[in-house]
Amino acid sequence: MAKFQRTPEIGGSAANMKNVRESDYSVNFLAEILFFLNGVMREKSLISLQIAKNTHTTILSSILAVDLQKKLLVLDYGINETLNQMALKTGSVQCITSHNRVRIEFDCDNLQHIRFEGRNAFSADIPASLKRLQRRNFYRIATPVANPATCVIPPLKQCEEVPLTLNLLDISRGGMALIDRPYADAPLKAGMTLENCRIELPEFDTVETTVRIVNISTAILSNGNTCSRIGCEFVNLSEKSGTLIQRYIIWLEQQARKFDTKLHF
C-alpha cells in the first residue's frame, strides 16, 4: 500500500492562495518551531522531502528525533538509495508535512547520513523557521488498495475514444491525488483543467466534477515501485458532491478503526 496516509491537502483555488501572504503563517521562534516538530513526530506524520524543485522528486520520510542539545533533526532514511544520494549531494531538502491537519513546510539544511538506533537516517539542522498553511486544512485520507476509488477522465483528444481511468491515492473534500505509471503516455500536465471527470467511490456513488491538476511528482510506494502522483483540486464542487465525499471519508475512517480494533484482540 502506498505510504500516503493523512498527508496535507494540495487543493484550494489559486486565486485564494494569492490573497494570503505566506509571511502571515511564518513561525520564527525556536520554542514554537520545536513544538510543531515534536507534534509532527508524535503524530508520526509522513514528510515529503522534496529534493529539487525543478524535478518534483520526493523521498517519503518521518521525524525520528528532535535533538535540541545538538540542534539536529533526525529523519527517516528513504528506501531508494539513488534518491537518498541525490538529496545528500544537494545538502538540503524542502519538507512538506502536516500537524493537526494543517500543512507544514520547512527547509532542512546541512543534510547528512548518520546511523540512528542501529539504522540509516538523515540528520539536518533544526529549521530556523517554518510555515503553517492553514488555508489548506482539508483532511486528506488514503483510499483502499484492495477496492480502490477511481477517476475516469474523458478522452483528452478528439481522436481518442477510450477514457483514462486512474486509481485514487487519497482524497479530501478539496481535492485528490491520482497515481499513474511514470512516464505514461497520457499527456497530463500541471495547470490542466479536466471537465466531466467521474470519481467512482466504492460502496457509495459517483461524483462528477471538474478537476484542475495542481502538480505532478514522482513518489515511491512501500513496495519500492515508483509512480506518478497527480495532485488535483476540485473546481466548483457542488454541495451534494462535497457531502458525498465527506461521507466516504468518514466511512473510510470507520473501516480503519474497525481494522485497528481487530488487530488489538
Side-chain angles (χ1 to χ4, degrees):
M1 180 177 180
K3 296 183 178 180
F4 275 90
Q5 295 195 22
R6 302 189 181 183
T7 56
E9 169 60 32
I10 59 170
S13 70
N16 288 338
M17 290 180 186
K18 293 179 181 179
N19 291 332
V20 182
R21 292 179 299 171
E22 298 287 351
S23 59
D24 291 345
Y25 299 90
S26 293
V27 177
N28 300 296
F29 294 102
L30 179 59
E32 291 184 83
I33 293 170
L34 293 174
F35 171 79
F36 289 116
L37 293 178
N38 280 295
V40 170
M41 180 175 64
R42 285 193 301 270
E43 290 180 358
K44 298 181 180 179
S45 298
L46 288 172
I47 301 178
S48 294
L49 308 183
Q50 186 169 322
I51 300 173
K53 294 182 179 180
N54 59 339
T55 62
H56 300 290
T57 303
T58 59
I59 297 172
L60 293 181
S61 182
S62 60
I63 296 178
L64 300 179
V66 181
D67 191 332
L68 179 58
Q69 184 176 4
K70 297 181 179 179
K71 296 183 179 180
L72 290 178
L73 191 64
V74 181
L75 301 165
D76 199 11
Y77 207 61
I79 62 174
N80 186 302
E81 186 59 27
T82 299
L83 295 184
N84 292 334
Q85 292 303 317
M86 287 175 58
L88 290 168
K89 184 177 181 179
T90 301
S92 63
V93 290
Q94 182 185 35
C95 302
I96 302 173
T97 185
S98 65
H99 174 63
N100 290 336
R101 303 180 186 178
V102 175
R103 180 180 172 111
I104 302 287
E105 293 182 2
F106 57 91
D107 293 330
C108 274
D109 297 321
N110 193 25
L111 193 72
Q112 297 183 32
H113 171 257
I114 62 170
R115 296 287 293 177
F116 178 77
E117 296 183 347
R119 57 172 169 164
N120 292 322
F122 292 119
S123 72
D125 296 340
I126 290 177
S129 65
L130 57 80
K131 294 176 182 177
R132 301 177 65 243
L133 306 186
Q134 294 172 292
R135 63 184 180 275
R136 302 179 181 183
N137 59 356
F138 287 114
Y139 177 50
R140 177 179 292 269
I141 190 169
T143 53
V145 173
N147 189 21
T150 60
C151 179
V152 181
I153 302 171
L156 301 175
K157 298 179 181 179
Q158 292 183 348
C159 60
E160 297 176 346
E161 297 182 357
V162 180
L164 177 64
T165 301
L166 299 177
N167 288 355
L168 269 68
L169 185 62
D170 52 48
I171 189 170
S172 77
R173 187 158 178 162
M176 60 185 174
L178 308 174
I179 53 175
D180 195 9
R181 293 170 292 110
Y183 316 112
D185 295 334
L188 297 177
K189 297 180 180 179
M192 291 180 64
T193 298
L194 309 173
E195 299 180 348
N196 302 317
C197 294
R198 298 197 320 274
I199 304 169
E200 307 282 352
L201 303 176
E203 308 294 335
F204 279 77
D205 205 341
T206 299
V207 171
E208 188 165 325
T209 187
T210 298
V211 302
R212 181 181 297 113
I213 299 177
V214 178
N215 57 52
I216 299 178
S217 60
T218 300
I220 303 175
L221 306 181
S222 56
N223 59 10
N225 294 332
T226 59
C227 70
S228 292
R229 182 185 187 279
I230 305 166
C232 305
E233 64 177 352
F234 299 134
V235 179
N236 298 324
L237 185 70
S238 69
E239 186 64 29
K240 180 180 178 181
S241 295
T243 300
L244 179 63
I245 290 173
Q246 190 62 41
R247 287 177 53 210
Y248 177 65
I249 291 172
I250 293 172
W251 180 77
L252 289 179
E253 287 186 303
Q254 291 171 342
Q255 297 303 306
R257 281 196 292 268
K258 288 180 182 179
F259 181 74
D260 289 340
T261 300
K262 290 180 181 179
L263 290 179
H264 286 85
F265 283 93

Coordinates of all heavy atoms in Angstrom, one line a residue, residues 9 11-13 151-154 156 172-176 178 191-199 206-214 231-238 241-242 245:
E9 N -3.4 18.6 2.3 CA -4.1 18.9 1.1 C -3.4 19.8 0.2 O -2.8 20.8 0.7 CB -5.5 19.5 1.6 CG -6.3 20.1 0.4 CD -6.6 19.1 -0.6 OE1 -6.8 17.9 -0.3 OE2 -6.7 19.5 -1.8
G11 N -5.0 21.2 -2.4 CA -6.0 22.0 -3.1 C -6.2 23.4 -2.6 O -5.3 24.0 -2.0
G12 N -7.3 24.0 -2.9 CA -7.5 25.4 -2.7 C -7.4 26.2 -3.9 O -6.5 25.9 -4.7
S13 N -8.2 27.1 -4.2 CA -8.2 27.8 -5.5 C -6.9 28.7 -5.6 O -6.4 29.2 -4.6 CB -9.4 28.7 -5.7 OG -9.4 29.8 -4.8
C151 N -10.9 7.5 -10.8 CA -11.3 8.7 -11.5 C -11.2 8.4 -13.0 O -10.2 8.0 -13.5 CB -10.4 9.9 -11.2 SG -10.8 11.4 -12.0
V152 N -12.4 8.6 -13.6 CA -12.5 8.4 -15.1 C -12.4 9.7 -15.8 O -13.3 10.6 -15.6 CB -13.8 7.7 -15.5 CG1 -13.8 7.4 -17.0 CG2 -13.9 6.3 -14.7
I153 N -11.4 10.0 -16.5 CA -11.1 11.2 -17.2 C -11.5 11.0 -18.7 O -11.1 10.1 -19.4 CB -9.6 11.6 -17.1 CG1 -9.2 11.8 -15.7 CG2 -9.4 12.9 -17.9 CD1 -7.7 12.0 -15.5
P154 N -12.4 11.9 -19.2 CA -12.8 11.8 -20.6 C -11.6 11.9 -21.5 O -10.6 12.4 -21.2 CB -13.8 13.0 -20.8 CG -14.2 13.3 -19.4 CD -13.1 13.0 -18.5
L156 N -8.7 12.9 -23.8 CA -8.1 14.3 -23.8 C -8.0 14.8 -25.2 O -7.9 16.0 -25.4 CB -6.7 14.1 -23.2 CG -6.6 13.6 -21.7 CD1 -5.2 13.5 -21.3 CD2 -7.4 14.6 -20.8
S172 N -9.7 14.3 -0.3 CA -10.3 15.1 0.7 C -11.5 15.9 0.0 O -11.7 15.7 -1.2 CB -9.2 16.2 1.2 OG -9.1 17.2 0.2
R173 N -12.1 16.7 0.8 CA -13.2 17.5 0.2 C -12.7 18.5 -0.8 O -13.4 19.0 -1.6 CB -14.0 18.1 1.3 CG -15.3 18.8 0.8 CD -16.3 19.0 1.9 NE -17.5 19.7 1.4 CZ -18.7 19.6 1.9 NH1 -18.9 18.9 3.0 NH2 -19.7 20.3 1.4
G174 N -11.4 18.9 -0.7 CA -10.9 19.9 -1.5 C -10.2 19.3 -2.8 O -10.0 20.1 -3.8
G175 N -9.8 18.1 -2.8 CA -9.1 17.6 -3.9 C -8.7 16.1 -3.7 O -9.2 15.4 -2.8
M176 N -7.8 15.6 -4.6 CA -7.4 14.2 -4.6 C -6.1 14.1 -5.2 O -5.6 15.0 -5.9 CB -8.5 13.3 -5.3 CG -8.6 13.7 -6.8 SD -9.9 12.8 -7.6 CE -9.9 13.6 -9.2
L178 N -4.1 11.3 -7.7 CA -4.2 10.1 -8.6 C -2.8 9.5 -8.8 O -1.8 10.2 -8.6 CB -4.8 10.5 -9.9 CG -6.1 11.3 -9.9 CD1 -6.4 11.7 -11.3 CD2 -7.2 10.5 -9.3
G191 N -1.6 22.4 -14.3 CA -2.3 23.5 -14.8 C -3.5 23.1 -15.7 O -4.4 24.0 -16.0
M192 N -3.6 21.9 -16.1 CA -4.7 21.4 -17.0 C -6.0 21.4 -16.2 O -6.0 21.0 -15.0 CB -4.4 20.1 -17.6 CG -3.2 20.0 -18.6 SD -3.0 18.4 -19.3 CE -4.5 18.1 -20.1
T193 N -7.1 21.8 -16.8 CA -8.4 21.6 -16.3 C -9.2 20.5 -17.0 O -9.3 20.6 -18.2 CB -9.2 23.0 -16.4 OG1 -8.5 24.0 -15.6 CG2 -10.6 22.8 -15.8
L194 N -9.6 19.6 -16.3 CA -10.3 18.4 -16.9 C -11.8 18.4 -16.5 O -12.1 18.3 -15.3 CB -9.6 17.1 -16.4 CG -8.1 17.1 -16.5 CD1 -7.6 15.8 -15.8 CD2 -7.7 17.1 -18.0
E195 N -12.6 18.6 -17.5 CA -14.1 18.7 -17.2 C -14.7 17.3 -17.3 O -14.2 16.3 -17.9 CB -14.7 19.6 -18.2 CG -14.2 21.0 -18.1 CD -14.9 21.9 -19.2 OE1 -15.6 21.4 -20.0 OE2 -14.7 23.2 -19.0
N196 N -15.9 17.2 -16.6 CA -16.7 16.0 -16.7 C -16.0 14.7 -16.2 O -16.2 13.6 -16.8 CB -17.3 15.8 -18.1 CG -18.1 17.0 -18.5 OD1 -18.9 17.5 -17.8 ND2 -17.9 17.4 -19.8
C197 N -15.2 14.9 -15.2 CA -14.5 13.7 -14.6 C -15.5 13.0 -13.7 O -16.2 13.6 -12.9 CB -13.2 14.1 -13.8 SG -12.0 14.8 -14.9
R198 N -15.4 11.6 -13.7 CA -16.3 10.8 -12.8 C -15.4 10.1 -11.8 O -14.5 9.4 -12.1 CB -17.0 9.8 -13.6 CG -18.0 10.3 -14.7 CD -19.0 9.3 -15.1 NE -18.4 7.9 -15.3 CZ -17.8 7.5 -16.4 NH1 -17.7 8.3 -17.4 NH2 -17.3 6.3 -16.5
I199 N -15.7 10.4 -10.5 CA -15.0 9.8 -9.4 C -15.9 8.7 -8.8 O -16.9 9.0 -8.3 CB -14.7 10.9 -8.4 CG1 -13.9 12.0 -9.0 CG2 -13.9 10.2 -7.2 CD1 -13.7 13.2 -8.1
T206 N -21.2 7.9 -7.5 CA -20.3 8.6 -8.4 C -20.4 10.1 -8.3 O -21.5 10.7 -8.2 CB -20.6 8.2 -9.9 OG1 -20.4 6.8 -10.0 CG2 -19.6 8.9 -10.8
V207 N -19.2 10.8 -8.2 CA -19.2 12.2 -8.2 C -18.7 12.7 -9.6 O -17.7 12.2 -10.1 CB -18.2 12.7 -7.1 CG1 -18.0 14.2 -7.3 CG2 -18.8 12.4 -5.7
E208 N -19.4 13.6 -10.2 CA -19.0 14.1 -11.5 C -18.6 15.6 -11.3 O -19.5 16.4 -10.8 CB -20.1 14.0 -12.5 CG -19.6 14.4 -13.9 CD -20.6 13.9 -15.0 OE1 -21.2 12.8 -14.9 OE2 -20.7 14.6 -16.0
T209 N -17.4 16.0 -11.6 CA -17.0 17.3 -11.4 C -15.8 17.7 -12.3 O -15.3 16.8 -13.0 CB -16.5 17.5 -9.9 OG1 -16.3 18.9 -9.6 CG2 -15.3 16.6 -9.6
T210 N -15.4 18.9 -12.3 CA -14.3 19.4 -13.0 C -13.1 19.4 -12.0 O -13.2 19.7 -10.8 CB -14.5 20.8 -13.5 OG1 -15.5 20.8 -14.4 CG2 -13.2 21.4 -14.2
V211 N -11.9 19.0 -12.5 CA -10.7 19.0 -11.6 C -9.6 19.7 -12.3 O -9.6 19.8 -13.5 CB -10.3 17.6 -11.3 CG1 -11.4 16.8 -10.6 CG2 -9.8 16.8 -12.5
R212 N -8.7 20.3 -11.5 CA -7.6 21.0 -12.1 C -6.3 20.3 -11.5 O -6.2 20.1 -10.3 CB -7.6 22.5 -11.7 CG -6.4 23.3 -12.2 CD -6.4 24.7 -11.8 NE -7.6 25.4 -12.3 CZ -8.6 25.9 -11.5 NH1 -8.5 25.7 -10.2 NH2 -9.6 26.5 -12.1
I213 N -5.4 20.0 -12.4 CA -4.1 19.4 -12.0 C -3.2 20.5 -11.4 O -2.9 21.4 -12.0 CB -3.4 18.7 -13.1 CG1 -4.3 17.6 -13.7 CG2 -2.1 18.1 -12.7 CD1 -3.7 16.9 -14.9
V214 N -2.9 20.3 -10.1 CA -2.0 21.3 -9.4 C -0.6 20.9 -9.6 O 0.3 21.8 -9.8 CB -2.4 21.3 -7.9 CG1 -1.5 22.3 -7.1 CG2 -3.9 21.7 -7.7
G231 N -1.5 15.5 -8.3 CA -2.3 16.2 -7.3 C -3.3 17.1 -8.0 O -3.0 17.9 -8.9
C232 N -4.6 16.9 -7.6 CA -5.7 17.7 -8.2 C -6.5 18.4 -7.2 O -6.6 18.0 -6.0 CB -6.6 16.7 -9.0 SG -5.8 15.6 -10.2
E233 N -7.1 19.5 -7.6 CA -8.1 20.2 -6.8 C -9.5 20.1 -7.5 O -9.5 20.1 -8.7 CB -7.7 21.6 -6.5 CG -7.6 22.5 -7.8 CD -7.3 23.9 -7.4 OE1 -7.2 24.3 -6.3 OE2 -7.1 24.7 -8.4
F234 N -10.5 20.1 -6.7 CA -11.9 20.1 -7.3 C -12.2 21.6 -7.7 O -11.9 22.5 -6.9 CB -12.9 19.6 -6.3 CG -12.7 18.1 -6.0 CD1 -12.8 17.7 -4.7 CD2 -12.4 17.2 -6.9 CE1 -12.5 16.4 -4.3 CE2 -12.1 15.9 -6.6 CZ -12.2 15.5 -5.3
V235 N -12.9 21.7 -8.8 CA -13.3 23.1 -9.3 C -14.8 23.2 -9.2 O -15.5 22.4 -9.8 CB -12.8 23.3 -10.7 CG1 -13.3 24.7 -11.2 CG2 -11.3 23.2 -10.8
N236 N -15.3 24.1 -8.4 CA -16.8 24.3 -8.3 C -17.5 23.1 -7.9 O -18.5 22.7 -8.5 CB -17.3 24.9 -9.6 CG -16.7 26.3 -10.0 OD1 -16.5 27.1 -9.1 ND2 -16.5 26.5 -11.2
L237 N -17.0 22.4 -7.0 CA -17.6 21.1 -6.5 C -19.0 21.5 -5.9 O -19.1 22.4 -5.0 CB -16.7 20.5 -5.5 CG -17.2 19.1 -5.0 CD1 -17.0 18.0 -6.0 CD2 -16.3 18.7 -3.7
S238 N -20.0 20.8 -6.2 CA -21.3 21.0 -5.7 C -21.4 20.6 -4.3 O -20.7 19.8 -3.8 CB -22.4 20.3 -6.5 OG -22.3 18.9 -6.3
S241 N -22.1 16.9 -3.9 CA -20.9 16.1 -4.2 C -19.9 16.2 -3.0 O -19.3 15.2 -2.6 CB -20.2 16.5 -5.5 OG -21.0 16.2 -6.6
G242 N -19.8 17.4 -2.5 CA -18.9 17.6 -1.3 C -19.3 16.8 -0.1 O -18.5 16.2 0.6
I245 N -18.5 13.1 -0.7 CA -17.1 12.8 -0.5 C -16.8 12.8 1.0 O -16.0 11.9 1.5 CB -16.2 13.8 -1.2 CG1 -16.3 13.7 -2.7 CG2 -14.8 13.8 -0.7 CD1 -15.6 14.7 -3.5

